[in-house]
Amino acid sequence: MTKVPGVIIKSKFKLPQATRRARRYTTYLRYIDRPETKARSQQFENYHDYMEDELKSSGLFTATQDRLNATEREQLREVFRRAQENGSILWQDVISFDETWLQEVGVKENRYIDEQRLMQATRNATALMTEKEQMLHATWTAAIHYNTDNIHVHIATVETSHPRERGKRKPKTIEKMKAQVVHTLADRTREQEKLNAFIRDEALAHKRNRSTTSASNRIFHPELVRQYKTIQKQLPDDKRQWYYNMSGMKELRPSLNRLTDTYLATYFKKEHTEFKQRLDTEVAFYERSYGSASQASSYRKTKEHDLYKQMGNAILSEMRESSTSPQKVTKTSSVPSPEQRIQSAFRRERIMQETLYRIERHMNNEWEHMQNQKAFERLQWEMEYDR
């Protein structure tokens, strides 16, 4: 059974009346002119009466005020009245919440509602909307309503000067408003930072500080080296294309991704599994909040692409550094200086010592395993013999 989305935003707009008798808001006026809404006339400013009905609303609030007194409400009505006369469009947005989702994110607990968080989410979403739509002269007010099965917030916005003629806003803006509401009420920064930390501080840092073709990898992880060299041989001649997202890497990206998978399986098997589990949790949260599997899937693809892109670029960076131009080869292939010979000798010695150490440790582990296995078999034999 599909769960109700945690957050839903519905938006519409009304055009201003050309004359006082014009019938452009017939539907809207019937809606706000019901007796219980206290509407007194057919004008923008009376939308506040519906929004602030004491039986169903917590009262009007704005970008800077949590509650408006009688004088401030009259001043706001006057702003909306003048905006209508000046030809402003009235934008009406409704942010509706699934109450179970509000409980999950801690906004609702039993009968208690954290109105401060709901107001802040509204402010953040409306600020983003006015910025994205470049509504430089916008004034808005909102109220939280409890008169339906789902708690919801009504938002009314007008432009006090330089009104635009078209009321339709970009669908992307409404999507971003919704994302802003979700982010404000359910801050997932800590969970997302854990995902980023694995990519940045563990996998990427490890890759940048270790050569894929090191002696230890050639001995203990030959498949890693084989994949690396296979990709290296297929790179385009133009080194400017040696970046993961460049068009010249299109055919090699699957191979780079496989190499990343092999690298993570070699060095970060447990951590990569935990990363994928955390990612599953985040994807489930996004699907629950937005009610859209496609948006959740998009988040997963974005995060996985980030992992493969970062690791792919680290691998390609290593390949660029190890690749020397013909001119440099000629220059460096001349007789090395005494200092270069000494440094080269030290490097060979260090690599040899590291390799011997790894071989010895590997052999010791194998020897210890064999000894333990023999001891276990001897114990099994003794137990059978005692019977």
Side-chain angles (χ1 to χ4, degrees), residues 281-294:
T281 300
E282 289 304 292
V283 168
F285 171 78
Y286 273 89
E287 187 169 355
R288 170 74 175 99
S289 299
Y290 298 107
S292 170
S294 62

Side-chain angles (χ1 to χ4, degrees), residues 96-112:
S96 181
F97 303 97
D98 174 54
E99 293 198 26
T100 302
W101 185 85
L102 288 179
Q103 291 174 344
E104 291 170 3
V105 299
V107 174
K108 184 177 187 294
E109 186 173 351
N110 298 325
R111 297 179 62 86
Y112 170 75

Side-chain angles (χ1 to χ4, degrees), residues 189-210 260 263-264 268 271-272 275 278 303-312 314:
T189 303
R190 182 176 298 179
E191 289 77 9
Q192 292 173 9
E193 179 55 31
K194 289 178 181 177
L195 294 173
N196 295 334
F198 169 73
I199 298 173
R200 181 187 62 243
D201 301 332
E202 295 188 59
L204 196 58
H206 186 277
K207 177 68 209 73
R208 285 174 174 168
N209 292 322
R210 285 166 176 78
T260 292
Y263 195 94
L264 296 177
F268 295 100
E271 294 84 353
H272 191 208
F275 170 85
R278 288 195 182 101
K303 193 56 64 178
E304 288 175 342
H305 176 77
D306 186 39
L307 171 62
Y308 286 121
K309 183 188 74 173
Q310 299 272 19
M311 288 294 290

Side-chain angles (χ1 to χ4, degrees), residues 30 42 114 125 167 184 195 252 289 329:
R30 277 203 301 267
Q42 299 182 346
D114 192 340
T184 302
L195 294 173
L252 287 176
S289 299
V329 170

Side-chain angles (χ1 to χ4, degrees), residues 86-97:
N86 291 336
S88 172
I89 294 168
L90 171 66
W91 286 273
Q92 298 168 263
D93 298 305
V94 180
I95 307 174
S96 181
F97 303 97

